[in-house]
Each structure stands twice: as structure tokens, then as C-alpha cells.
């Protein structure tokens, strides 16, 4: 594998010894095999079938066929020198109805995969829930129901007991904001609801499920770390006007603090409690229960993609508007704002407390293509990762305890409501043949991993 030129620079931004370098995926986005070996449908299988829900009517039915190609995928990770791999377990493979009978074949698949990773010297981080709720549970109220919390804790226990010897790092839930708000307020994710009260009830139940699953993990006495993964989006006011400053703070409350405050401080943000109460939408929960949401965790997973500039307006429930920014954007339409990852990391330590952090996702979608010579040149992704890593390095120098970095994603995959239109991978997937081609960014990343550092002048 030849290294692209820009890693040959003399000066290096070195990362701390033991810093873990990896890439991430999620079950529904890559596995396919949705009806094999006892897997039952999830809310995403159903959502994909509702007309207009997903671009081009796509689904995760086949995705990257990872369910059959996982050996090849591990070999690829090894070739790239990945030290860690973040994957998620599909709840409907392991407990098809969500609660009740465990499906041994589901466990066999993950045990083999985890053993394969260990044999390859790749240390996993396993997410218990990355959005594929068993459909049967949705039919009984989904995350809006407390029964789903109980079912999740039972499912988590099964995973700990059956796979815990192979998992050094667990993440309970991926991006509670998306589960609650995209799934139940905005409605562009499964289950496709559009109701603030439901969204807030879901947000609470998901955090409760997380906290109880952490407590259940401690009860097992297993070795290993456990945490949660949040998608954090810093918001800057469009001007110094009081209304814009308040709007940016509201956005921050909605997106970040509504999750960070209970998890790290055991209380909901009071400004947002007032705001939501005025909308008549707040679920009734006791202060004692909210305090339990701060069940101690070993790390916080941070997914960072962009920051936003916000101004006050009459729009929407939050009465604010995002101000479009100049400069580079990805095909998702997201602005490229590397300094935001530094700011959010520093802010976590400042506003809450120092806590070990993994960057559990960071990456970008661009319109990649295979060149006639068979190579996939993706200089914009390479620059995106490089510039974000440089800001992560800056945060570490500023004293933030960042333990590792996972590129999103290991390979192109099913990007939820955007179907297969968005290529986030450092590895290209040619869907008709399922052929994998490491992009230039992957080859460059392999060199960064080897050096445990980044060329200072990129
Ligand atoms: O693909 C998703 C992932 O599943 C969760 N975090 C954001 C990624 C890009 O949208």
C-alpha cells in the first residue's frame, strides 16, 4: 500500500501513547441478511417500506452484505491497521421479538465476529442500540413505553452474559437525540412520528434504559468499560443580539444539554424544562428518577460532524433558524467546521467534568467514484479527517482526555433516510458487486495510525 504524499512531512502532531485508532459502523447500515437465521423485522425494515420515507425506496435488506462478508471486512480492517472497531448489535437478531426468546443464531454470528476481531488484534467497541428497535416492541408503544426500557435492560444483560468476555468497551445507545427527535418529532427516521410529547417521553426512556443498562453491567462484575454515544452540535449565535444569543442557547438546550445535563449532572436543563412546559409537552417524571440518569459511566462517546450558526425567528417549535454558511459542504449539506470538535470537547470538560472521551464518529460524505485505474481518490474526505484530527489534537493539548478516534465510516453504507446516496466510507463499496476498495483516505489513515500522529502541516 503506497502512502499518499502528505504524510511524509517532518513535523508530526503526536497523539498520546495508547490512543486508539478505529472506524465505526452500525448493524442495519451494513449487515443486510434481514430475514436470515431468525432475525425479525425492526422499525427500520418497516420504515423503509413506507412510500417516500427513504430516498429511491432503498432499504438495508442487503446493504454491504457484511453478514456474509465479515471475514473479508476484518481482513480489510487489519490491512488498514485499525486498532479498534466500533460495531453495533442488532437487537432483532438477538431477541427477535424484543423481549422473550433469545435467538442463538444471532448470538453465534456476533460471537464469531468478535472472535474474528480478537484474532486480528482489533479491539471492539460494541453499541447495544443503534436504532434498529424490534418492530414487535414498536407495536407495543416503542420507546414511548416503559416496557421497552425493561426489555432493553433484559436484552443488554443477555449481551453482557453471552458476549461480555469478548467486549472491552460497551456503548449503550447511539445518539439519543436522533432516536427521540428524528424518530418522533421531525419524523424522518423510524418510526416516523411527529409529536413533541412523544419525542420527549422517548428521550427520557432512552436515557433511563441507558442508565439501567449501565447498572446491570456493573452487576455482572464483568471487566470492561461502558458509556453512551451522543451526537453533539455546537451552536453559535448569528449576532450579538440578545434574541440570537437566546436562540443559539435554545438550540444547544434542545440538541446537547437536554442529554448532557441528565447524564452528567442528574438534572434536566431548567430553561428547556420551561420551554417544553410552555408547549405543554413535558412528560411527568420525578426528580429522583432524573437523578438516576447520571449513573456513573466510564467514558462519553462523542459523534461530531458540524456546528451551526443560529438566529432567532418565528420558525418551528424552537423559534429559530439555521443561518446558511459559506465554505465547504459535504453531500449531506453539512458545513465543514473542524474547529467545532475542539470547542465541544473543551466545553465538556469546562461545563461538566473531565471524563474520558472517545470520538465515536466523525467523517464526511462526498461524491466518490472509481477512477479508470481502479483507485478512489477522495482528497476532500482526507482533508476533512485531517483537519478534525488536528483539532482533536488541539483539544488534547488543552487538557481534554480523548482516548481514541473512530472514523465514520469503515465503509460506504445505508445512510438511513438518504439511502445509498451518501458515501461516508473510507472504503468504497461497489454495491452491484459488493467489491470493497480502500479509498485514498483509508490508505492515508493507515499511515496516521502507524505513526500515531498527524503531519503538522498536512
Ligand atoms: O450514518 C450515521 C450514523 O448511523 C449515526 N451518526 C451519523 C452518521 C452519518 O449521518
Amino acid at each position: 500500500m503506497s502512502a499518499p504524499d502528505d504524510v511524509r512531512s517532518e513535523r508530526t502532531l503526536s497523539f498520546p501513547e495508547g490512543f486508539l485508532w478505529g472506524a465505526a459502523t452500525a448493524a442495519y447500515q451494513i449487515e443486510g441478511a434481514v430475514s436470515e437465521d431468525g432475525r425479525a423485522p425492526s422499525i427500520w425494515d418497516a420504515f423503509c417500506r413506507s412510500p417516500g420515507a427513504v430516498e429511491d425506496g432503498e432499504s438495508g435488506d442487503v446493504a454491504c452484505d457484511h453478514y456474509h462478508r465479515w471475514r473479508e471486512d476484518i481482513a480489510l480492517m487489519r490491512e488498514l491497521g485499525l486498532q479498534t472497531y466500533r460495531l453495533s448489535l442488532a437487537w432483532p437478531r438477538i431477541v427477535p421479538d424484543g423481549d422473550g426468546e433469545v435467538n442463538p443464531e444471532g448470538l453465534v454470528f456476533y460471537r464469531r465476529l468478535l472472535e474474528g476481531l480478537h484474532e486480528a488484534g482489533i479491539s471492539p467497541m460494541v453499541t447495544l442500540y443503534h436504532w434498529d428497535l424490534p418492530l414487535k416492541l414498536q407495536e407495543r408503544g416503542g420507546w414511548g413505553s416503559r416496557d421497552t426500557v425493561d426489555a432493553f435492560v433484559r436484552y443488554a444483560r443477555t449481551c453482557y452474559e453471552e458476549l461480555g468476555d469478548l467486549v472491552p468497551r460497551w456503548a449503550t445507545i447511539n445518539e439519543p437525540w436522533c432516536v427521540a427527535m428524528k424518530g418522533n418529532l421531525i419524523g424522518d427516521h423510524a418510526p416516523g412520528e411527529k409529536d413533541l410529547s412523544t419525542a420527549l417521553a422517548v428521550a427520557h426512556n432512552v436515557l433511563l434504559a441507558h442508565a439501567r443498562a449501565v447498572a446491570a453491567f456493573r452487576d455482572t462484575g464483568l471487566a470492561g468499560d461502558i458509556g453512551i454515544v451522543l451526537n453533539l452540535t455546537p451552536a453559535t449565535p448569528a449576532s450579538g443580539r440578545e434574541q440570537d444569543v437566546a436562540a443559539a442557547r435554545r438550540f444547544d438546550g434542545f440538541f446537547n444539554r437536554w442529554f448532557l445535563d441528565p447524564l452528567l449532572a442528574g438534572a434536566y436543563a431548567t430553561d428547556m424544562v420551561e420551554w417544553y412546559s410552555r408547549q405543554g409537552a413535558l412528560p411527568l417524571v420525578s426528580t429522583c428518577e432524573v437523578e438516576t440518569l447520571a449513573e456513573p459511566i466510564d467514558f462519553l462517546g462523542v459523534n461530531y460532524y458540524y456546528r451551526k450558526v443560529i438566529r432567532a425567528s418565528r420558525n418551528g417549535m424552537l423559534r429559530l433558524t439555521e443561518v446558511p454558511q459559506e465554505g465547504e459542504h459535504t453531500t449531506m449539506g453539512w458545513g465543514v467546521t473542524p474547529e467545532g470538535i475542539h470547542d465541544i470537547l473543551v466545553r465538556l470538560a469546562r461545563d461538566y467534568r473531565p471524563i474520558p472521551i472517545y470520538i465515536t464518529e466523525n467523517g464526511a460524505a462526498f461524491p466518490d467514484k472509481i477512477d479508470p485505474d481502479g483507485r478512489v481518490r477522495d482528497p476532500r474526505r482526507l482533508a476533512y479527517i485531517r483537519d478534525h484530527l488536528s483539532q482533536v489534537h488541539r483539544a488534547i493539548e488543552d487538557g481534554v482526555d480523548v482516548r481514541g478516534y473512530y472514523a465514520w465510516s469503515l465503509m460506504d453504507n445505508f445512510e438511513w433516510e438518504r439511502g445509498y446516496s451518501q458515501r461516508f466510507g473510507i472504503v468504497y463499496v461497489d454495491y452491484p458487486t459488493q467489491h470493497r476498495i480502500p479509498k485514498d483516505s483509508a490508505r492515508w489513515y493507515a499511515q496516521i495510525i502507524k505513526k500515531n500522529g498527524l503531519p503538522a502541516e498536512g
Side-chain angles (χ1 to χ4, degrees), residues 249-250 253 257 268-276 278:
R249 179 144 179 86
R250 214 154 47 239
R257 287 182 291 116
Y268 281 119
T270 47
D271 56 331
M272 294 312 293
V273 170
E274 277 166 29
W275 186 268
Y276 292 141
R278 265 185 266 144

Side-chain angles (χ1 to χ4, degrees), residues 164-354:
D165 56 322
L166 294 165
V167 180
R169 269 163 240 98
W170 294 94
T172 52
I173 308 275
N174 182 69
E175 301 182 349
W177 181 86
C178 290
V179 179
M181 302 304 174
K182 278 177 85 66
N184 298 278
L185 176 65
I186 302 163
D188 59 353
H189 272 196
E193 297 294 324
K194 291 185 181 166
D195 176 65
L196 181 60
S197 300
T198 308
L200 292 174
V202 166
H204 181 74
N205 287 346
V206 161
L207 294 181
L208 190 60
H210 149 80
R212 289 184 42 199
V214 172
F217 178 70
R218 305 292 182 215
D219 286 347
T220 64
L222 279 163
D225 287 346
I226 189 161
I228 187 168
V229 172
L230 300 184
N231 51 321
L232 297 176
T233 299
T236 314
S239 78
R241 279 190 333 142
E242 200 184 311
Q243 300 94 307
D244 288 343
V245 173
R249 179 144 179 86
R250 214 154 47 239
F251 179 90
D252 182 57
F254 171 68
F255 215 103
N256 304 316
R257 287 182 291 116
W258 194 251
F259 300 91
L260 284 167
D261 282 17
L263 286 169
L264 298 179
Y268 281 119
T270 47
D271 56 331
M272 294 312 293
V273 170
E274 277 166 29
W275 186 268
Y276 292 141
S277 305
R278 265 185 266 144
Q279 328 278 325
L282 213 58
L284 270 183
V285 289
S286 72
T287 316
C288 291
E289 185 170 273
V290 179
E291 281 167 9
T292 68
L293 303 182
E295 180 73 33
I297 48 178
D298 301 308
F299 68 87
L300 180 66
V302 173
N303 293 354
Y304 174 83
Y305 289 92
Y306 49 79
R307 75 177 167 80
K308 299 218 176 212
V309 178
I310 300 293
R311 73 172 163 74
S313 79
R314 290 176 184 278
N315 287 354
M317 180 271 294
L318 290 169
R319 303 284 182 270
L320 54 82
T321 305
E322 182 189 349
V323 182
Q325 295 299 292
E326 307 228 309
E328 178 153 47
H329 285 73
T330 71
T331 49
M332 291 291 283
W334 297 345
V336 177
T337 52
E339 66 293 339
I341 199 168
H342 166 269
D343 297 352
I344 198 77
L345 289 173
V346 169
R347 181 247 176 124
L348 284 173
R350 187 196 60 211
D351 289 0
Y352 297 92
R353 63 187 147 83

Side-chain angles (χ1 to χ4, degrees), residues 29 130-131 174-175 305 332 334 361 408 415-416 424:
Q29 295 181 271
H130 198 126
W131 306 352
N174 182 69
E175 301 182 349
Y305 289 92
M332 291 291 283
W334 297 345
E361 287 180 28
W408 183 270
E415 176 53 27
W416 309 110
F424 272 95

